[in-house]
Amino acid sequence: MTHAATSTFAAMSAVGPDQSADRAAKAEAIKLDKRNEVDELLWLMSDPRGRRFVWRLLQGFGVYQLSYVPGDPAHSAFNEGRRNEGLKLMSQIMEHCPARLTEMQKEASKHERRSSISSSK
């Protein structure tokens, strides 16, 4: 490396105290945002109404359905993109409150059985 290239590289890689503080503040803000997202998910999943809402979201995302539409690759791709968002939500639930996922599934199953009994009368 030439002297000019070396000094340019050194100048570009030098991080001043202001830049270091900005990076630390941004990293702290990202960490706080992630913690808030987890706290919000835990709050939502702690209440039966929140679990019913999340269940409806997962159903709307098509998490429990096939994405493939025979002969229609565009529609299949759309369905898979929607399903992927639901899988991300489910992954977060499984990571942070797996017992609530099981509880939500049991509640939904019980509700669906009650609905099918009432509609058959």
Side-chain angles (χ1 to χ4, degrees), residues 12-84:
M12 287 176 21
S13 62
V15 176
D18 290 341
Q19 290 173 326
S20 183
D22 285 347
R23 287 182 185 166
K26 286 178 185 176
E28 190 60 34
I30 289 169
K31 187 177 177 182
L32 181 61
D33 285 347
K34 287 182 181 182
R35 183 68 236 163
N36 285 339
E37 284 181 16
V38 170
D39 288 345
E40 291 160 355
L41 179 65
L42 294 174
W43 171 80
L44 186 63
M45 293 298 291
S46 70
D47 188 273
R49 294 169 295 179
R51 290 189 297 274
R52 284 192 302 269
F53 176 76
V54 170
W55 183 257
R56 285 191 307 272
L57 282 178
L58 292 173
Q59 285 182 315
F61 284 137
V63 169
Y64 299 106
Q65 301 169 354
L66 290 175
S67 303
Y68 178 67
V69 178
D72 192 348
H75 198 195
S76 296
F78 175 82
N79 287 346
E80 190 56 28
R82 184 180 58 179
R83 186 171 181 270
N84 186 58

Side-chain angles (χ1 to χ4, degrees), residues 72-114:
D72 192 348
H75 198 195
S76 296
F78 175 82
N79 287 346
E80 190 56 28
R82 184 180 58 179
R83 186 171 181 270
N84 186 58
E85 288 303 307
L87 292 174
K88 282 190 226 177
L89 175 58
M90 186 179 285
S91 175
Q92 290 176 322
I93 294 168
M94 290 175 68
E95 179 180 350
H96 300 292
C97 51
R100 296 292 188 182
L101 177 62
T102 305
E103 185 177 12
M104 178 179 65
Q105 290 169 326
K106 287 178 183 175
E107 289 168 347
S109 178
K110 183 189 261 186
H111 176 75
E112 288 168 6
R113 273 186 269 144
R114 273 194 314 241

